[in-house]
Amino acid sequence: MIEVKSLRKKYGDFEALRDVNFSVKNGNIYCLLGSNGAGKSTIIKIIAGLLRGTSGEAFIDGIKVGTNLEYKRRFGYMPEEPHLYDRITGREFLEFMGTLRDVEESILGQRIDQIGKELELEGFLDREISAYSKGMKQKVLFANAVIHESKNLILDEPTSGLDPRYTRYLKYRVKELADEGRAVLMSTHITSVAADISNVVGIIHKGRLIAEGSVDELLIDTGTKNLEDAFVEVIDGNL
Amino acid sequence: MVTCKTLDMLSVEVLGSYRSTKERISEHPAMTTWFILLLITGFSTTLLVAEYVKTLDIPILLLSRGDILFVIFFFFMGKTSSETIDVCLKNNRLKHLFTAPVKISKIRSTIFLKIFWYNLLLLAISVSLASSLIHIFKIDLNIDGYFFIHLYLLVTASVFIGYNISLLSRISNRLFRYISLVVYGQTIPLIWFILGGDFSYSTISFFLLFLIGLSFIIYQIPTRLFMDSWISESSRSISSNIHLKGENWFLKKCTSKTICSITEKEILDRWRRKETVASLGIVGVIGFGLVLLYYQLGPNPDLGLGLEEYFYPIFIGMSVFLAVSLQIVIPSLTLFSREGRRMWAIKVLPIMSIEVVYGKLVSMLIFSPVIIVLISLPLPILLGYTISQVLFILVSSITLIFLCSGIGIWASARFPNFDESVNGAPDVMTMYIVMMSCLITGGILILPALYVFTWNVFLGLLAIILSADITVLITIYLANNASSLFSKMELDM
């Protein structure tokens, strides 16, 4: 379970996040939907421990983010941009991250092979990451997020750089992971992705959570027929 | 409107560097002040020592005008070569320029001009500072106008040569690469020969002008080769028989699984970038130079000062410091900067910051025995030093290695340089401050023990062991501090 309470983030005079509250229950997929620069990645980075909020708190499985290492064992993270160590191979990267997440060596090897097969990375896992395309790097990042089978997933724009086939695979896989009881928090600005898989959508605008609910609830509230229209309606109503 | 695209691109590069430097200066005002103080002190000391040595009139200690110019040439050539690799060949961001409707030759000129002007700026600042200090302290060094003419010509040549060598060394066709390097590389011994020979100043000037002309022609190599070098470096996928396992028995036994994994990752990364081989090679060259010095001057060089017994120990100390600076201090300054945007990977892991710092520290220290084997030990053995003398040199070297690693990693966490255009390479200011700090602190820790050693061998040995203990404590303190700085680092990029 992921919880955010009264989260604020200020950069000098600029307020990037203003009093954000939401929670992601186990088995649910929560999509943070927002325009570019709305504050989605800032929220995700604070929960992942990469940024510190100016005030407010975030919790993963009830453990406060930033206080000890235990919360870091509870989630898998996929960043927005595929910045990876380019001189090591995909397999070495996954082994490195898995080992430091205390995944047993024998299990780790099996999981890497299995997910490599699922993502059609087998031929590339033993090549240096510098030779990967953006999409392949995204796949390695997704593999890294799920390889230790944590109870929570935090995905920052996971479909960016992926072709339609793998976008479909990723949506299917994320749903499957949520069905297994995981709490999934993901950010996106693609409304169709959010509409397809989310249980709850949170619309972020100028650092504020301005609407929240299931896709159906948002459509009823805005009187629109699809999430894209609902999103525009909500944003325009708040300009 | 007609515009010069090269100058347009150059102005963007210069503006970017100016803003980044300005930001660093305003972020660390104390560091800037300290840098200026150290720079003035360093220059004054060097000039005053040079004047003193000149008055002694001891042939062995006198560096000829040619030697000094060659050292400056070599420094600028190495600097340019490394800058070309970081700013040009390893710079993946250049793809944005390459895909723009701009001639490749203009992009090449932009990169070269950036490197060239910065080096000339550094030279101008150094010459101005040295001239001011010579004037203030009335230092007599017999420097004439030709020295400055040769200096500027040499630095211009060194920038061309360093740039060309870096580019030629990355050409994908091996045969062409080796032939061109061997042929063009002859310019370096040629410069040594001309500067050291009995030639008139105007002949040297003429030769240097000729060399600049020649290098300019090489610089104009077809853009196809320029692109070839960039592609082969920026998209190089090295096949290596060394793989990341995280299960090195020795490391695991001595440290922990986490530290072992991080150490291995760091080593592998540097190994595949060929940085390890390069730095080990440099250590080997320094060690070879020391032995060569011994065979040239013999065991008892005549200084006429009664200080003969200190001659070689001073050289060993200087060589160890040089090797430690190149193999440990400078690489350790990049440890956090190079993580840059990839730092999320370490940050989200359930591992303690101190383990990350120790992992990186061990990766720095793991090759340090090479310094001891190649630099600290051969000369004392050749000179037939006693066991206690060898032991003193050994412990002093270890002290310096630990101290420099600690200071280096702390500085890396305190002043990280996330400027992507330089690939995490430290800026001149940080590098100079850290190296001088290492030198001063090393002197404070080792020289008193050396004094005691000359007075009483046993007490001297105890004193240097005490210094080593203190150094380890300092290193642990600095590592803890670096760990705290690392845990506070935010990934806001």
Side-chain angles (χ1 to χ4, degrees), chain B residues 166-421:
Chain B
S166 285
L167 240 59
L168 293 175
S169 68
R170 297 302 195 273
I171 290 173
S172 60
N173 183 313
R174 281 192 181 187
L175 184 67
F176 187 74
R177 185 199 309 164
Y178 293 137
I179 292 174
S180 58
L181 277 176
V182 167
V183 173
Y184 186 62
Q186 299 309 316
T187 48
I188 301 169
L190 208 59
I191 287 178
W192 169 256
F193 173 72
I194 293 290
L195 291 176
D198 192 17
F199 297 101
S200 70
Y201 288 166
S202 47
T203 311
I204 295 174
S205 308
F206 178 75
F207 168 76
L208 290 175
L209 279 171
F210 167 75
L211 199 70
I212 291 169
L214 177 77
S215 297
F216 185 71
I217 294 167
I218 307 280
Y219 158 79
Q220 298 284 345
I221 56 168
T223 47
R224 191 177 60 78
L225 283 182
F226 173 78
M227 285 304 291
D228 180 53
S229 300
W230 180 77
I231 291 166
S232 73
E233 179 61 38
S234 62
S235 58
R236 190 163 47 137
S237 180
I238 306 160
S239 56
S240 171
N241 53 358
I242 299 173
H243 293 286
L244 194 66
K245 286 280 180 201
E247 55 191 25
N248 184 296
W249 179 85
F250 177 74
L251 274 178
K252 244 181 180 176
K253 199 84 181 161
C254 296
T255 57
S256 69
K257 187 185 74 183
T258 307
I259 295 175
C260 174
S261 293
I262 291 170
T263 303
E264 282 193 6
K265 179 191 77 72
E266 292 289 330
I267 291 173
L268 194 72
D269 192 52
R270 277 205 298 281
W271 179 266
R272 288 190 182 158
R273 287 174 198 275
K274 298 193 173 172
E275 290 173 359
T276 313
V277 177
S279 72
L280 291 179
I282 292 170
V283 172
V285 169
I286 296 171
F288 177 72
L290 262 186
V291 176
L292 202 68
L293 187 79
Y294 167 80
Y295 280 112
Q296 280 208 327
L297 303 179
N300 298 305
D302 183 18
L303 298 178
L305 285 169
L307 293 170
E308 282 75 8
E309 58 184 308
Y310 297 110
F311 181 75
Y312 282 119
I314 288 170
F315 260 89
I316 295 169
M318 279 163 47
S319 304
V320 170
F321 178 72
L322 185 64
V324 169
S325 300
L326 295 172
Q327 211 203 4
I328 291 177
V329 179
I330 296 175
S332 67
L333 281 174
T334 67
L335 285 175
F336 288 107
S337 310
R338 196 173 263 176
E339 292 280 346
R341 288 171 185 262
R342 303 173 306 184
M343 203 182 281
W344 68 266
I346 298 273
K347 280 278 198 179
V348 297
L349 286 170
I351 54 176
M352 288 186 288
S353 303
I354 191 70
E355 290 179 303
V356 177
V357 173
Y358 278 141
K360 287 173 181 284
L361 194 64
V362 174
S363 77
M364 282 290 120
L365 291 171
I366 210 147
F367 291 108
S368 58
V370 178
I371 297 176
I372 292 167
V373 171
L374 295 180
I375 298 176
S376 308
L377 294 180
L379 212 52
I381 292 167
L382 280 173
L383 288 161
Y385 280 7
T386 61
I387 290 176
S388 49
Q389 284 171 323
V390 173
L391 208 59
F392 187 89
I393 290 171
L394 191 74
V395 181
S396 304
S397 304
I398 294 169
T399 304
L400 203 58
I401 287 166
F402 268 88
L403 181 73
C404 290
S405 313
I407 293 178
I409 203 158
W410 175 80
S412 174
R414 180 69 183 81
F415 311 111
N417 184 9
F418 294 124
D419 182 356
E420 287 185 342
S421 66

